[in-house]
Amino acid sequence: MTKNEFALAFNEVLEEKQLSRDIILGAIESAMVSAYRRAVNASTAQHVEAKVDAETGKVAIFAEKEVVEARKVNPEAQLGDMVVVDSTPADFGRVAAQTARQVIQQRIREAERSAQMEYFARQVGEIVSGVVQATNVQGATIGLDMKAEGILPSNQKIPNERFKVHDRIRSVVLEVKDGSRGPQIILSRAHRNF
């Protein structure tokens, strides 16, 4: 990736995902560490760090290595000491970009889910607005802020109420549970006049 491609992609992710720069950089750096470990088949005991320059997109890997030629790295180092040195493989940019993409997406999804969970846990008992995405006998799926989805069970609807897809409705956040695919947000319209 060229400097501009990286910066554009990075800022695009920040805007689209509403996540902090640090969360994204942290995700990219841990993805790069995983990619490096796979690329060089490094032991999990070896201390490895990645540094990503958000402006240039340059990735550097620092790995802990045993001193064999002490003077090259640090004139003070004794043979057998452990030092952290720049260990970025020559073709790492290509390898890293390929292997890191999935990990980054996964981390972004995790961070997104955690941000949703935190946000909606604070909204319990409050009225939120959303758009009907789907309806069935069990209830309706409502699209909420932060790309979250809420469930409005049939028993929490106003009696005889019918929704159409794309209807904008207001409801109360009844309960928020941590689900494997993100927060389960249970909504209710039964106890208030809307």
Side-chain angles (χ1 to χ4, degrees):
M1 271 203 282
T2 67
K3 170 187 171 166
N4 291 350
E5 275 174 4
F6 183 89
L8 283 173
F10 184 69
N11 290 321
E12 204 176 280
V13 166
L14 284 184
E15 280 165 33
E16 188 194 326
K17 301 295 180 189
Q18 302 174 333
L19 290 171
S20 83
R21 195 182 174 85
D22 291 347
I23 288 177
I24 299 287
L25 271 180
I28 292 171
E29 286 173 356
S30 59
M32 294 304 179
V33 169
S34 306
Y36 171 80
R37 285 190 191 284
R38 278 198 299 276
V40 303
N41 203 6
S43 140
T44 47
Q46 185 184 24
H47 177 72
V48 176
E49 278 175 32
K51 288 275 171 278
V52 177
D53 183 327
E55 300 307 316
T56 63
K58 185 167 165 47
V59 179
I61 299 289
F62 296 92
E64 190 178 48
K65 300 208 166 164
E66 190 174 335
V67 174
V68 185
E69 267 182 68
R71 288 216 171 86
K72 262 191 184 172
V73 183
N74 175 355
E76 312 288 298
Q78 300 300 308
L79 223 53
D81 279 359
M82 298 302 278
V83 292
V84 174
V85 293
D86 187 336
S87 310
T88 315
D91 64 344
F92 189 64
R94 195 175 42 81
V95 177
Q98 215 173 355
T99 50
R101 208 165 271 127
Q102 291 163 311
V103 185
I104 291 166
Q105 289 301 57
Q106 185 188 342
R107 286 303 173 90
I108 288 169
R109 278 195 298 274
E110 284 166 13
E112 210 169 44
R113 284 201 288 260
S114 139
Q116 287 173 344
M117 184 74 197
E118 210 173 289
Y119 177 79
F120 285 99
R122 288 200 303 268
Q123 301 286 318
V124 172
E126 302 289 327
I127 294 176
V128 293
S129 174
V131 175
V132 177
Q133 291 180 339
T135 63
N136 57 30
V137 184
Q138 282 85 38
T141 304
I142 314 296
L144 300 168
D145 286 347
M146 297 184 74
K147 297 186 181 171
E149 280 185 354
I151 304 295
L152 178 64
S154 295
N155 64 358
Q156 295 297 336
K157 283 158 77 172
I158 296 166
N160 302 321
E161 187 171 43
R162 298 242 182 281
F163 296 130
K164 293 192 304 294
V165 171
H166 303 310
D167 280 355
R168 180 163 278 284
I169 66 161
R170 286 152 61 82
S171 51
V172 173
V173 178
L174 200 61
E175 188 185 0
V176 179
K177 294 187 281 200
D178 207 351
S180 57
R181 299 184 57 135
Q184 275 192 304
I185 304 159
I186 313 299
L187 304 170
S188 172
R189 284 172 60 78
H191 309 298
R192 299 229 182 172
N193 295 323
F194 291 92

